[in-house]
Amino acid sequence: MPHLNLSSEEIAQRGKELYQQRLRTQVETADNIGKLIAIDLNTGDYEIDKDLLAAYHRLKAKQPSTVTWIGRVGYNAVYAIGGTLVRTAE
């Protein structure tokens, strides 16, 4: 798979779209809510873990040329600085 040359904004947009359109219904389970998901934009492959780096490193081991977007399952952001994470899962 060719390496995608995307800006940070394009990675964010494509990652959110991939999550919403193809992965959300599969991964938003009671066990996964609040965990972090690392998604490879080339393949749609993903890893979920409580630890961001653990999820990323497992994905990188499977997809060495990964272009990765990371989100928090069931929430609108990975971290909140001076604010509150908004839960998007029902």
Side-chain angles (χ1 to χ4, degrees):
M1 179 66 67
H3 177 73
L4 299 176
N5 189 14
L6 303 171
S7 68
S8 297
E9 292 81 14
E10 291 169 320
I11 289 172
Q13 180 181 356
R14 290 180 70 165
K16 288 177 185 176
E17 288 174 358
L18 185 62
Y19 180 81
Q20 291 294 330
Q21 295 171 2
R22 293 182 26 199
L23 301 174
R24 184 176 180 179
T25 58
Q26 298 173 42
V27 303
E28 287 192 359
T29 64
D31 287 343
N32 288 336
I33 296 296
K35 291 182 179 175
L36 297 160
I37 183 169
I39 303 170
D40 176 36
L41 300 183
N42 292 318
T43 65
D45 196 7
Y46 64 92
E47 287 289 334
I48 297 174
D49 201 288
K50 290 179 182 177
D51 182 277
L52 184 148
L53 289 178
Y56 173 75
H57 288 301
R58 282 201 314 271
L59 182 63
K60 181 81 173 167
K62 293 191 315 186
Q63 304 291 341
S65 63
T66 185
V67 175
T68 307
W69 178 82
I70 295 178
R72 185 173 297 277
V73 176
Y75 287 87
N76 67 336
V78 174
Y79 296 109
I81 299 172
T84 305
L85 290 174
V86 176
R87 189 165 173 180
T88 57
E90 297 175 13

